[in-house]
Amino acid sequence: DSRRRLWVGSREGLARADALRFLPLPLVAGEVQPYVSAIAEDQAGTVWIATNVGLFAHGRRGRGQGG
């Protein structure tokens, strides 16, 4: 993304790399995470995550589910 972070989406959910490791980022409560099919960043710096259960936004203020 524009802040030089690496995002990885898979059938097991979402993760973001820091300097040393991948950090899992749960999108929903519970152990089973949605399948991530696409990740994109808009001009405002919000990272959008498309999944099999909906669209999620991860912005500077935290996470939330979109429409």
Side-chain angles (χ1 to χ4, degrees):
D1 68 7
S2 61
R3 295 169 68 186
R4 303 189 58 82
R5 299 174 298 184
L6 175 65
W7 298 79
V8 177
S10 72
R11 291 183 182 149
E12 268 117 60
L14 180 68
R16 188 179 70 213
D18 70 7
L20 302 173
R21 64 188 182 274
F22 282 97
L23 306 170
L25 297 172
L27 295 171
V28 296
E31 291 185 29
V32 178
Q33 292 299 302
Y35 172 83
V36 175
S37 57
I39 303 170
E41 182 181 23
D42 66 18
Q43 291 180 345
T46 300
V47 175
W48 293 91
I49 303 104
T51 75
N52 61 317
V53 298
L55 186 63
F56 293 82
H58 191 287
R60 297 176 193 266
R61 294 185 183 179
R63 288 185 291 259
Q65 186 167 9

